[in-house]
Amino acid sequence: MTTSGDTARLSALNAVLRVLVRHANLLLPQPFEELADAVAAIVPFHRIAVLVPEGPDHRRVYAVTRGTRQPVVFGGRTAVVPAVMRRVYVEQLPYFVDDTRQGLEIDRAAAEVGALSYVVFPVRSGDGKGTQRVIAELVLTFPEVGGARRAPASLLQEIADVLGSTLERAFRLARVRRLAMILKTSGDAMLAWDREGRITDANDAALVLTGRPRDQLIGTPIIELLGPLPDGRGPLELAASAGRSPSTEMTDRIALAPGVRLDLFARSMTPARALRRIVVAATITAVEDDPLVAAHALLRDLSHVVAAEEEASARLSRIHELEEQHRTLLDNAPLIIFRLDPGTGELVYLNRHAERLLGVPMNEALATPGFLRAAHADADGAQCFDDAVARARQSGGKASSDGEPRRPSGVPRPPPYEARLLRRNDDAITARGTVYPLLSEGGELVAIEGLLVDVSAEHAARTRLVQNDRLATLGTLAAGVAHEINNPAAFILLGLDMLDRLLKGAGITMEPTAAQGAAELLHELRDSIRRIVDIARDLRLFASPPAADNGRRSVIDVNRTVESALSLTRGQIIERAQLCRHLDEVPPVLMEDGRLAQVVVNLLVNAAQAIPKAYGREQSITVSTRSDGRTVEIEVRDTGVGIPKEILSRIWQPFFTTKSADLGTGLGLSISREIVEKAGGRIWAESPAIGHSGNGPADGGPGASFVISLPAAGRGELVTPILSPLPRTLSARVRVLVVEDEASLARALGDELGRLHQVTVVSSAMEALTALDDRAFDVILCDLRMPGMSGEALYTRVAESDPAHARCFIFMTGVGFGADVERFLAGSGRPVLEKPFSADDALEEIVRVVNRNNAAKH
């Protein structure tokens, strides 16, 4: 007899079964909604859900919520509850929660969305052998506390058991559908072929890779697509062997290592549809239990990989080429590059230029312990090298080969040092050395590197700059000394003229002998003063630096220059040797001012230093000049120690010297040759072979001779124009303004000129401007160098306001002109009286200026 309860139960089950019959996949939104409606007809739940295990820690949730509460995401994930898992999956019993507000954290979360109680039923599926296993959970939640207990548990469990087989089929269909989607959308081509070697299936990627539509690809022999395997067999042979061989042997013979490279012959996308070769990575596997498929292959297009490999190969070749170029660059770089072992400090690398620079074969240098340290010529240089290596060692930790070497980040390169390096069978060179550490990424010291740069030329240039700077300073001092000498010298000469005139004046009677003695004394005093002035002029000429306008040349009086050099070196010569002059009349030469004097002074000083004081007073230094009309030769010969034959060719090299450091730097002869050759000449040395002369120290040595040969500039014969003789006096007295800050000279000059003219004397340029404002002058005798406003500045100011007075200027100076003064004088066109000058010289210049200005007026 069927009761009403049984009828309701059967009705509910039939409703669920109708939903399951209509839908193969229950885990889709629409079928699940229909299932929820069928269950809701008999149980008023809040939410119904199916939870499918996914991994050890999560479950996939398929749920429908009744009411207005926010629904869960269909197909979302939730965490596993261990208590539920044990109850439902292990014990296969329902799990009840009567009040979610008192439960676990996940229960309290359910309470927040309106579920105050719930029940979980195991969803079971049989394996066909009487064994059931739980494959999912059926969950119903209720909006009231204890609602789950009032639900028909047995009916709901039956519904859960009915769902088991349907859900398992749904799982399988979903998995197949996902796999099919993966195969369809995979970027790797997949092919299958039968035992006849014809393709039976292919995914979309295979169609794209082979360039054939599906209807053309299916049935195509695999041998048309794939080239031979690495063992020489083709894919057709694989298919044949698959059909004849036992499964184990077949698998061994057919299955290849994943990713083996094969050639695939594909149709191009061009209208001609020509075949093109593509390299693919193939994984081919035999199929045993499918009568339609012998093997299938997974093919991955390696075109981009092959292109990348070809590019990498090209880059590797380029890297090798660059490495070779880099090695060549290092070998040819004009410096020594080395690397030291951080532990032993010995050489592990040395570039080829070191071999050329030091004259030592590279293999020998690398095999010589402490080679670089021993290459330093001086103990100080070797110590600097040791200190630099020690600093490099302290920059890192223990030596390591891990990581690429690098210089320490943020650590400045150590300061360089300079030292002399020995060269085999040659002179030492000056080098600048830098030593620095190479560190790994971990900061560990892996090597010590360094550079040694040949700076001999730079060192020579720097030394020459220092010498030029000293000469410039000496020239400045000489100019100041000349000014201080020439001003009183000018006063003395004027005073001697006045004294001579007084002694010869009316009313002065002297005994003839006394008069003659006074005249001779005055003459000697004049000569002495002139000699003082000449020495000051010679010193200034010698000490002047090279011209700033790229070596402007001037006509040089050779004998006058030699005399100047002799006057400067006389003090060094007379205490060692007798001085002999043989100066023929020779034409002038073209050179920079002061450069010839510098060369001759260098040769005279060398000659004096070549004669030791122990040789006695019978030694000599002979200076001679001669000319054949085309060239002028200056010879300096001494009877000193001579020059050994083995070093005769090296005396012209910079820094080569046999003297002690306090006697020279080894640059004198090098600079002298440079000066002479720059002027178009040449210089050479001669010395008899030492040991063959037979002279001992008491009689002097073999001696040496230095000869300078310069092209002659011509005699420059003076052509005297035929002019009317210039009168020494004027027909009338003229107004003369004397501007001189030296009081005694100004007073003497005023007295001398005042005998013939009206003279006004002022001591500064400002007083001169006041005087010029008060009255007009016919002549203005103005000193060039004065405190405050100079004579040049005074002239410029007067020329701007009163050009007529500017034409009356005659400048006086006791110093060398210099480039700036020469430019000024050339621009102004005014005459110059060099101090010391006589009263007659000044009177003659006054006559010239007055006559010239008078002629200009008419």
Side-chain angles (χ1 to χ4, degrees), residues 101-133:
R101 296 172 300 180
Q102 309 298 323
L104 304 172
E105 181 179 354
I106 192 170
D107 295 339
R108 292 194 297 272
E112 293 177 1
V113 295
L116 297 182
S117 65
Y118 67 87
V119 60
V120 182
F121 296 98
V123 177
R124 294 174 289 218
S125 176
D127 58 1
K129 299 178 182 179
T131 303
Q132 290 187 324
R133 58 188 178 85

Side-chain angles (χ1 to χ4, degrees), residues 159-427:
I159 293 175
D161 290 337
V162 170
L163 290 176
S165 58
T166 303
L167 286 179
E168 192 164 37
R169 184 173 66 254
F171 296 160
R172 185 166 56 253
L173 289 175
R175 183 165 58 254
V176 169
R177 188 170 67 88
R178 287 195 297 270
L179 289 175
M181 184 61 65
I182 291 173
L183 293 176
K184 182 177 180 60
T185 59
S186 172
D188 293 332
M190 300 177 190
L191 291 172
W193 61 89
D194 59 19
R195 285 169 174 75
E196 294 180 357
R198 295 187 177 275
I199 297 175
T200 59
D201 206 352
N203 68 343
D204 289 350
L207 305 180
V208 174
L209 184 62
T210 61
R212 307 179 188 218
R214 183 178 299 277
D215 58 348
Q216 293 182 11
L217 183 60
I218 301 301
T220 299
I222 189 65
I223 196 171
E224 291 185 9
L225 297 180
L226 295 180
L229 304 180
D231 59 4
R233 293 176 300 158
L236 187 59
E237 295 177 89
L238 291 180
S241 62
R244 296 192 301 266
S245 306
S247 59
T248 303
E249 181 183 356
M250 177 183 63
T251 302
D252 292 340
R253 295 181 64 185
I254 295 179
L256 300 177
V260 68
R261 291 194 179 189
L262 297 176
D263 290 337
L264 174 74
F265 300 97
R267 296 286 182 185
S268 66
M269 302 305 294
T270 62
R273 305 285 290 169
L275 285 176
R276 59 190 181 95
R277 173 178 168 273
I278 301 175
V279 179
V280 296
T283 301
I284 301 178
T285 307
V287 178
E288 301 179 31
D289 54 356
D290 191 335
L292 298 180
V293 176
H296 62 73
L298 175 68
L299 307 176
R300 177 167 297 172
D301 186 358
L302 296 182
S303 299
H304 62 289
V305 176
V306 172
E309 288 176 346
E310 291 175 352
E311 182 181 358
S313 178
R315 288 191 177 186
L316 185 60
S317 298
R318 179 58 178 161
I319 289 172
H320 290 160
E321 181 182 346
L322 290 175
E323 285 179 349
E324 187 62 29
Q325 293 176 0
H326 182 251
R327 187 178 298 108
T328 302
L329 178 64
L330 291 181
D331 286 339
N332 294 327
L335 45 83
I336 297 174
I337 304 173
F338 62 88
R339 179 176 286 190
L340 305 178
D341 182 278
T344 64
E346 296 299 335
L347 273 175
V348 295
Y349 170 77
L350 192 65
N351 68 333
R352 286 284 181 186
H353 185 72
E355 181 175 311
R356 295 189 288 269
L357 193 62
L358 301 180
V360 179
M362 186 174 65
N363 292 337
E364 179 183 336
L366 291 172
T368 303
F371 171 76
L372 279 183
R373 189 184 190 282
H376 288 71
D378 307 314
D380 291 343
Q383 185 61 49
C384 289
F385 176 77
D386 290 342
D387 292 344
V389 172
R391 282 195 302 270
R393 279 201 180 102
Q394 293 171 1
S395 298
K398 182 179 178 181
S400 170
S401 59
D402 296 332
E404 290 296 323
R406 62 177 179 84
R407 287 193 62 238
S409 177
V411 178
R413 187 180 289 272
Y417 68 92
E418 284 194 4
R420 294 171 63 246
L421 297 182
L422 296 172
R423 303 177 69 183
R424 181 169 290 181
N425 302 325
D426 207 344
D427 299 321

Side-chain angles (χ1 to χ4, degrees), residues 130-151:
T131 303
Q132 290 187 324
R133 58 188 178 85
V134 179
I135 62 171
E137 308 164 45
L138 176 63
V139 181
L140 284 88
T141 66
F142 299 90
E144 66 277 353
V145 174
R149 293 287 183 181
R150 294 189 290 273

